[in-house]
Amino acid sequence: MKTLYLLVPLAPLAGAILAGLFGRALGRAGAHTVTILGVLVSFLASCWIFADVLEGNTFNGTVYTWLTSGGVTLEIGFLIDRLSALMMVVVTFVSLMVHVYTIGYMAEDPGYQRFFSYISLFTFSMLMLVMANNFLQLFFGWEAVGLVSYLLIGFWYTRPTAIHANLKAFLVNRVGDFGFILGIALVLAYFGSLDYAQVFAEAPALAAPVTLICLALFVGAMGKSAQFPLHVWLPDSMEGPTPISALIHAATMVTAGIFMVARMAPLYELSATARSVVLVIGGITALFMGLVALTQYDIKRVVAYSTLSQLGYMTVALGASAYSAAIFHLMTHAFFKAVLFLGAGSVIIALHHEQDMRRMGGLKAAMPVTYWTFLLGAISSAGIPGFAGFFSKDAIIEAARHATIPGAGFAYLCVLACVFVTAAYTFRMVFMAFHGAPRYDAHRPPHESPAVVTVPLVLLAIPSVLAGWLVGRFLPVDSAWDFVVHGLVSLPFWLALAGIAAAAILYRRPSSLPKRIAMRLGPLYAVVERKYGFDELYAWLFGAGARVLGTGLWKAGDQTFIDGLMVNGSARVVGWFSGIVRLAQTGILNTYAFLMLFGILAGVTWVIWRFWS
Amino acid sequence: MLAEYFPILLFILVGLAIGVAPMLLGRLLGPNRPDPEKLSPYECGFEAFEDARMKFDVRYYLVAILFILFDLEIAFLFPWAVALNDIGMAGFLAMMLFLGILVVGFAYEWAKGALEWE
Amino acid sequence: MSLAQLLSHLRALPEMVLLAGACALMLVDLASKSETRRLSYLFAQGVLLIAFCATLFVLSESEGKRYYIFYGLFVSDLLSHVLKLFAFITVSAVLVYARPYLHERGLLKGEFLTLLLFALLGILVMISANSFLSLYLGLELLTLCLYALVALNRDSAASTEAAMKYFVLGALASGLLLYGMSMIYGATGSLLFTDIGPQTAALAASSSSMRTLLVFGLVFVVAGIAFKLGAVPFHMWIPDVYHGASTAVTLVIGTAPKLAAFAMALRLLVNGLPALAVDWQQMLVVLAVLSMALGNLAAIAQSNLKRMLAYSTISHMGFMLLGLLSGVVGGNRLNAVDAYGAAMFYTAVYVLMSLGAFGVLLLASRQGAECERLEDMKGMNRRDPWLAFLMLLMMFSLAGIPPMAGFYAKFAVISAVVQAGQLWLAVAAVAFSLVGAFYYLRVVKLMYFDDPAGVAVPAGGGSARWLLSVNGLALLALGLLPQGLMALCQAAIRSL
């Protein structure tokens, strides 16, 4: 079984190495064959493991001891339980779909092999993160996915916007990672171990500052899962190729933070304060990022903000101690969001890389498969009972309602309001892109995408409809059916319908109503449209501030002190000394022998001196 | 125990001091103005006739070295022969091993032509 | 002597195989007339392989126990087996690297191979020595072969001069060592380390004058070890010999003998004189700090790569000594396995790095175009990217940059030093490593950022190139996954 566990991360790694280093030799077809094969093997193994775990066989053990230092052992190990097995299946499945989809999407790109190598490498990193049984490996996977995501956002490295976007993602994630590593350091300092099992077992008894640890770790999660106020990098990351947006910035990487907090559940359960913070941050992200989605016209940006909002949901669930609901929503979200992203991508290629929804419309007839899958994804996303999104979302809302810690009321209101918003922006997208009169360039009419694009769409649409029926395992109700029936008469359902209706009224036909509403709301709308001005604030506060600080340090610290005194000064001293030492190597034998005898003499003198004193 | 050697150490130090002091004094006090003429070697007032390092035939050296090697063998063989009764088979085998190695060396130098005078 | 007793001597099987093989090689080579010495070369490699297998056999047969044979002169424990295996691999690699170089210069004589095997025999004897006598015997066998090897290129004035210096200084050092041994023998009345250990403990405890006599002898013994390692101030031969000898011979001197020197230090000090640990540790502190300081600083001023690597050797041996001197803390040997294990790991990794670095020089050298000055590295990346990359790996590893094995070796030693409570030593070690990084990185800079100087000569290929790649990647692999080798080293130390 251990070999099988090892196979899961190593198969994509092998694919990545082959495609990355020998890409030229393998050719395009060779590169996608090996990587897809690697991920397929990984996916099948994950399914096997998942089935095995459902039978109750969990695993927690070390595979390799990397090094031992000062009593701390740093190991590579796997913790396979329901949580990680489920994540493994989701990660490998979405990754597999994206690999296949990429064949079509990137067909004309010169960096074809490189791209496959990156996404396989990403799959490997994500699996390492998910399967870890200790903080060090978690951190390794955490940073590795960050690195690959950085590489992928800047995949088209000749575009300045892409470079800016990946720099931004990298920097914002640094902030999060700083908190994360602080958290890990605290764990190491107080527990003396990085092993999950040991830490969780000792946590209740030990007088460790659990709240502090949880908050520090959560800062990391905020960075990776793009929670307010570290959310600014995610919308910009849409500069990367669409498969990446689907794979990394919707389905898998951004959920690493959610996964991590769920993994750390035993720690979070010890600190109500930390959970309150999580709850409030989640609520804010869910509602306010959803509002931004309503104002955007770039189809990928809308999906991106919707991702932020959905991540907010998951965070709320974590704060409300409904960890299984969070992971459940993570899973359903992975499916329906991948559908939305890949559908958006399909539209974008069909329109020759047009992303503005104001120049779409009426695509329903031209692209039936894309339309219907997109619609299913949208319904699921809006949370209509019976579809996957409904089950997970309702579970979260229920959890928020029943939560008693401070901040729960606020979060409940946020998620409730967000149901309306979610339905509204999703269907705004559907109506603007697929309904109404065509607004695209009539000389270049769109065609339905090739099978490598549509097949993954269909395959992803199926779980985004049906995944909810797995519900019995996750929710406190007796049967999924009861839950659906209950959902039909509860408030969220009607809010969702209202949202769809609002979108239909405003965007089904071309009308001036949206513009008028925007005018009426005036500054409020402007603030939302400008994404609450966070980009500007950060640019001013950190960008300009850091530049002032940097210039000061550079002038005073670097040039005078470090360069002048330390570097050049010490280099001068070293150079001078080495010149002297060189003189001693005269090449004359007598000198050498003399020096040796001098050494002996020094030793003997030392002995005699010690003897006398 | 070591303290008994202290006079000897003292003696060495005094001897060293007496040896070194005149040279040091000469160095410090005497005038030192060398020129090329003063520093050039001379032989009974004349320019040097030939290099002080003489050449000699390398064959003498080679033979001497080889002689020492095989001479030493006798130094081992003699006591071995005397004590052979006491050391028995193990001693016999050990010497045969030694001689075997020696024979290898002998064969090597023979084949290399080290034994040929011309 | 019964058959069983006779058979017990088979624990020295690797040495026997090597002796027989070296003798046979001498005769085989007489028959070989070819310029490439193909037959002799293959024969030598075959002997190494058989000896390697013999060691494995002895290792598996010993079942982790320790045995003394030849009346206690020879010890067979895990440490000796592991070090011998390292030595076989090293010498085999040396042969592969050196062969094309020597062949091009007409230096590929049977004597090179024979002397190399006899030197290896000396190394093996030193590794397994349990007495002053066998240790000295092995040492002399090794060094005599090395003197002759340095002088192998007898038409080169630099080589003969280097050999002469090496010989004179070596003789002096071995005299010092003998003197120290005689003192300790005089005090304890035994030549066997296993007897000397308890004897010295008793003597040192009984009277302070006895202890002084022992320490007096110890000074000379340590001097002998320091000469073999090349620690300051007994290092003077290293730059001249490394520089003067032909690069192939430098490769020989710079690799396998370090294993022997390490074994010698371990056997003499840790096995033989543990009671005097406080004293020899203090001496080693001085040697280590001086070596690191002088080695690293002097290397900066060098314009010749071989000389630079010579000084780098000095500094690395100083670093290795740090491991040896932090084993015993206040009479407590708790740290011993970690510290000596780290030192052994360091030595093994150093040998690998040294092999690789000189291997690159050998491969990049061509007839009439030696690659031994710093300028010769200029623009290496453009001439031969793969070779340049391998050199980069070696330099990074020597400088101790993660994730190379050199980093982990340094890390292990420093952590042992810190555990021993010698914080200032650790700080000094890090500071000097930092200084050292400069000249290693300078080589990288020359290779990658400077324009090629002179004519572009194609680097050699063949088996040497493959092995060099394996060598470089092994350093990377050991840096990423050091635990296996570390566990082996620690197990070997435990068997001490």
Side-chain angles (χ1 to χ4, degrees), chain C residues 168-242:
Chain C
V168 172
L169 295 176
L172 182 60
S174 106
L176 294 176
L177 181 67
L178 271 185
Y179 189 51
M181 287 176 173
S182 68
M183 292 243 196
I184 294 173
Y185 173 66
T188 59
S190 172
L191 287 171
L192 299 182
F193 298 150
T194 30
D195 293 344
I196 293 173
Q199 281 269 5
T200 44
L203 283 175
S206 68
S207 80
S208 80
S209 67
M210 216 48 188
R211 185 186 178 93
T212 310
L213 178 65
L214 282 169
V215 175
F216 200 74
L218 181 68
V219 170
F220 288 88
V221 168
V222 168
I225 296 171
F227 178 82
K228 199 73 213 120
L229 286 170
V232 178
F234 305 94
H235 68 287
M236 301 299 268
W237 62 279
I238 289 209
D240 287 19
V241 171
Y242 272 46

Side-chain angles (χ1 to χ4, degrees), chain C residues 194-484:
Chain C
T194 30
D195 293 344
I196 293 173
Q199 281 269 5
T200 44
L203 283 175
S206 68
S207 80
S208 80
S209 67
M210 216 48 188
R211 185 186 178 93
T212 310
L213 178 65
L214 282 169
V215 175
F216 200 74
L218 181 68
V219 170
F220 288 88
V221 168
V222 168
I225 296 171
F227 178 82
K228 199 73 213 120
L229 286 170
V232 178
F234 305 94
H235 68 287
M236 301 299 268
W237 62 279
I238 289 209
D240 287 19
V241 171
Y242 272 46
H243 186 189
S246 78
T247 312
V249 176
T250 314
L251 174 70
V252 176
I253 299 174
T255 52
K258 305 295 175 205
L259 294 170
F262 172 75
M264 174 178 166
L266 217 53
R267 296 279 185 215
L268 265 176
L269 300 179
V270 179
N271 254 6
L273 301 165
L276 302 178
V278 183
D279 303 282
W280 54 257
Q281 282 183 349
Q282 286 177 15
M283 295 181 208
L284 293 192
V285 167
V286 177
L287 291 175
V289 171
L290 282 179
S291 301
M292 286 190 298
L294 188 127
N296 280 320
L297 290 173
I300 290 178
Q302 303 306 319
S303 57
N304 184 294
L305 260 172
K306 276 158 78 181
R307 260 193 125 72
M308 188 196 97
L309 286 173
Y311 281 107
S312 125
T313 303
I314 296 172
S315 72
H316 279 283
M317 287 303 115
F319 215 107
M320 190 276 284
L321 284 176
L322 288 181
L324 280 184
L325 62 82
S326 36
V328 181
V329 186
N332 186 338
R333 282 175 57 91
L334 275 181
N335 202 20
V337 170
D338 276 353
Y340 302 147
M344 185 168 165
F345 185 89
Y346 198 94
T347 312
V349 168
Y350 173 72
V351 167
L352 260 186
M353 299 190 288
S354 189
L355 257 183
F358 283 113
V360 170
L361 294 193
L362 283 174
L363 216 61
S365 294
R366 277 284 146 289
Q367 179 70 42
E370 295 286 329
C371 176
E372 57 176 44
R373 287 166 311 146
L374 275 178
E375 300 96 83
D376 297 332
M377 301 307 287
K378 275 186 182 169
M380 178 93 139
N381 182 41
R382 238 169 293 168
R383 274 181 284 156
D384 191 337
W386 181 241
L387 204 59
F389 175 68
L390 289 175
M391 190 64 169
L392 172 120
L393 289 184
M394 305 302 167
M395 288 296 130
F396 275 13
S397 190
L398 282 166
I401 293 172
M404 302 304 297
F407 163 74
Y408 188 75
K410 280 198 160 65
F411 173 77
V413 168
I414 289 177
S415 83
V417 172
V418 170
Q419 273 175 44
Q422 310 253 41
L423 208 59
W424 70 271
L425 258 183
V427 171
V430 172
F432 286 124
S433 301
L434 218 62
V435 174
F438 168 73
Y439 57 88
Y440 296 121
L441 295 183
R442 182 170 59 187
V443 173
V444 174
K445 178 237 170 202
L446 285 173
M447 289 195 303
Y448 281 87
F449 300 110
D450 282 19
D451 289 328
V455 281
V457 271
S463 47
R465 205 177 174 79
W466 277 105
L467 192 61
L468 203 58
S469 310
V470 172
N471 190 340
L473 297 177
L475 282 175
L476 188 60
L478 280 178
L480 291 171
L481 312 171
Q483 212 58 39

Side-chain angles (χ1 to χ4, degrees), chain B residues 48-69:
Chain B
F49 293 121
E50 57 183 327
D51 198 349
R53 301 175 188 86
M54 273 195 303
K55 290 176 181 168
F56 65 93
D57 197 322
V58 76
R59 281 176 293 193
Y60 292 115
Y61 176 76
L62 197 62
V63 168
I65 289 278
L66 294 180
F67 169 72
I68 290 177
L69 278 182

